[in-house]
Amino acid sequence: MAEEVEIRGGVAVITGAASGIGTGLARKAIALGMKLVIADVRADQLDAFAATLDGEVLALPTDVRDLKAVEALAEAAWNRFGQVDILFNNAGVMATGFSWEIEPERWQRSMSVNVDGVLNGIRAFVPRLLEAGRPARIVNTASVGGFLPAPLMAPYSVSKAAVVALTESLHFEMQMIGAPIRVSLLAPGPVKSGIFDDPFGPHVDPAARGFVETMRGMLTANGLSPDEFAQRVFEGLAAGNYWLFPQPEAIDPLFERRAASIRDRATPQLLNFSEL
Ligand code: NAI
């Protein structure tokens, strides 16, 4: 078992920190006495958010699709604070529509941000964390969608399933080499955020429009606030959990149904999002 990471006085790096879940994680980390490195592709929004935080914060506009930019982020984190204790690979985007109609660029963007973005975080930070030789945590954000594929958001389901696999591979690799780095897979259920603010390409299918309205309504009605969500994430981290499912009450029945479907070779049934 790796030793526990330093929280108070430690350093957290959060990608996609200018909105939604990232802001909740940032506020919680500051409240716990952590120093922060926050990154987002939206520079203005990132700076405006950084100005609201009362603590030691380095805000660096970063596109997680760009490995060099993520390496520069890691470099800046060590230059400023001399250590990194928790890395949240949190940035992610949504794309909706029928699989065959979603424009190739939007498919690619989902894969680049959601998968390459996490991989770039791993590439840039793991060698430095190994060299530091201190206990550290890497938290990769997938989604319950990475376990429960849904219609009309295939790029999201596909990319998040990849994050589920990548994270578990990384976990085993850390174990194999005896690294003091623990890995966690974070799978949010509904959280109030901007994730459905820009889900369409130039072609908007009526089915996708209806789906997005349903999802927005579900987030408004059932979504946790980013702060409540972050509270649960840090509780899971303190417990040393690999699986971070902060909303088990919403997710577990759906997992059970899916596991039974595979076990019984039963054709998958359409997920009812109002159950989330
Ligand atoms: P959000 O849209 O409010 O925040 C995502 C942030 O990522 C935004 O600030 C955006 O500018 C940033 N971002 C997008 N592309 C980027 C890039 N190339 N480089 C750097 N930053 C980039 O959405 P939310 O919900 O806070 O999303 C955070 C994570 O949680 C994502 O990975 C998302 O897929 C995941 N998630 C969210 C759920 C929800 O209900 N809100 C449910 C399941 C997973």
Side-chain angles (χ1 to χ4, degrees), residues 102-154:
I102 295 172
E103 302 75 15
E105 301 72 35
R106 290 183 70 77
W107 259 101
Q108 192 48 52
R109 176 171 174 252
S110 293
M111 300 306 285
S112 305
V113 177
N114 298 357
V115 185
D116 295 347
V118 173
L119 182 57
N120 287 340
I122 292 168
R123 281 185 184 282
F125 282 83
V126 167
R128 289 170 170 90
L129 290 172
L130 290 176
E131 199 189 328
R134 305 170 66 250
R137 293 292 281 260
I138 298 176
V139 181
N140 293 338
T141 301
S143 165
V144 295
F147 299 88
L148 304 165
L152 296 167
M153 52 191 269

Side-chain angles (χ1 to χ4, degrees), residues 13-86:
V13 178
I14 306 170
T15 68
S19 171
I21 289 173
T23 63
L25 293 172
R27 280 190 290 266
K28 183 66 193 169
I30 286 280
L32 290 169
M34 299 195 83
K35 297 164 198 160
L36 274 192
V37 180
I38 55 174
D40 203 286
V41 74
R42 285 187 271 178
D44 291 351
Q45 201 169 321
L46 183 70
D47 284 345
F49 174 60
T52 68
L53 294 170
D54 188 15
E56 278 194 71
V57 180
L58 172 63
L60 217 67
T62 308
D63 186 337
V64 296
R65 292 171 290 189
D66 177 358
L67 176 58
K68 283 199 165 33
V70 184
E71 281 180 336
L73 177 72
E75 197 67 33
W78 263 278
N79 283 343
R80 170 75 181 267
F81 294 120
Q83 69 188 68
V84 168
D85 299 276
I86 308 183

